[in-house]
């Protein structure tokens, strides 16, 4: 089954959250696996799209019960911390809790054992900027050549996204 990572800003606008939920629901109906992170905003919007098939949702949390989420995929691995440290420009200045948030992003893109990159990466950041925890996930996706779509980019194209989804499905199945 193809795997999509869907993450983004906690302050994702309502209309973008609705769009993310629709995309997630579409992918859920096509037997995709979701990877996300349990945060407010884009993450939660993606999870709502997979609500009827949570058995295919991998929700990676920085610690148990983050944001009230019941996922058992919590507490990132030591290896995830090491990867995040190579990506974040000021790693040593981050509090432990923020390091945990960034480390969990590595699992969102690379999976539980950090050896299975997602097939598709969809996110939202304001104006498509590389910022916050989503920056770590974006750079990791790009480093692993995962097709990447940011709904905050002015040039985001639903048509290109759909074309990419169908292309991935034809090569994966």
């Amino acid at each position: 089954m193809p795997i999509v990572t869907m993450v983004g800003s906690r302050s994702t606008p309502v209309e973008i959250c609705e769009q993310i939920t629709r995309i997630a629901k579409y992918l859920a109906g096509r037997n995709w696996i979701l990877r996300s992170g349990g945060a407010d905003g884009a993450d939660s919007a993606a999870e709502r799209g997979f609500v009827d098939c949570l058995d295919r949702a991998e929700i990676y949390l920085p610690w148990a019960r983050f944001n009230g989420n019941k996922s058992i995929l919590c507490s990132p691995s030591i290896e995830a911390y090491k990867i995040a440290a190579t990506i974040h420009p000021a790693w040593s200045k981050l509090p432990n809790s923020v390091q945990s948030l960034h480390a969990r992003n590595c699992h969102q893109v690379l999976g539980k054992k950090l050896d299975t990159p997602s097939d598709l990466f969809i996110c939202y950041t304001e104006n498509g900027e590389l910022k916050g925890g989503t920056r770590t996930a974006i750079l990791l996706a790009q480093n692993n050549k995962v097709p990447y779509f940011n709904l905050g980019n002015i040039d985001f194209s639903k048509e290109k996204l759909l074309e990419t989804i169908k292309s991935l499905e034809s090569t994966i199945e």
Side-chain angles (χ1 to χ4, degrees), residues 136-151:
T136 298
I138 291 169
L139 293 176
L140 194 55
Q142 290 175 336
N143 291 345
N144 284 275
K145 299 180 178 27
V146 176
Y148 152 70
F149 291 86
N150 188 331
L151 279 65

Side-chain angles (χ1 to χ4, degrees), residues 19-65:
Q19 185 177 17
I20 289 169
T21 299
R22 285 191 304 274
I23 294 167
K25 189 171 191 142
Y26 174 79
L27 294 173
R30 298 176 70 84
N31 293 317
W32 281 65
I33 295 169
L34 170 69
R35 289 182 182 157
S36 197
D40 292 334
D43 294 25
S44 295
E47 291 171 45
R48 283 192 296 277
F50 270 75
V51 74
D52 293 331
C53 46
L54 289 176
D55 58 321
R56 285 188 281 112
E58 299 175 11
I59 310 304
Y60 293 96
L61 307 178
W63 50 82
R65 306 286 296 152

Side-chain angles (χ1 to χ4, degrees), residues 156-169:
F156 169 72
S157 162
K158 292 178 194 176
E159 293 78 20
K160 179 93 168 122
L161 174 59
L162 187 58
E163 178 185 307
T164 301
I165 289 167
K166 290 182 178 182
S167 174
L168 287 167
E169 288 175 340

Side-chain angles (χ1 to χ4, degrees), residues 3-7 10 33-39 43 47 56-67 69-77 80 100-116 118:
I3 304 167
V4 61
T5 296
M6 298 181 79
V7 296
R10 286 179 180 83
I33 295 169
L34 170 69
R35 289 182 182 157
S36 197
D43 294 25
E47 291 171 45
R56 285 188 281 112
E58 299 175 11
I59 310 304
Y60 293 96
L61 307 178
W63 50 82
R65 306 286 296 152
F66 170 72
N67 233 13
N69 196 298
K70 296 177 184 174
S71 176
I72 60 169
L73 299 173
C74 51
S75 303
S77 68
S100 294
L101 289 162
H102 284 273
R104 77 82 152 67
N105 291 345
C106 297
H107 289 291
Q108 292 170 345
V109 176
L110 300 176
K112 188 174 184 175
K113 295 182 181 179
L114 303 169
D115 62 355
T116 311
S118 294

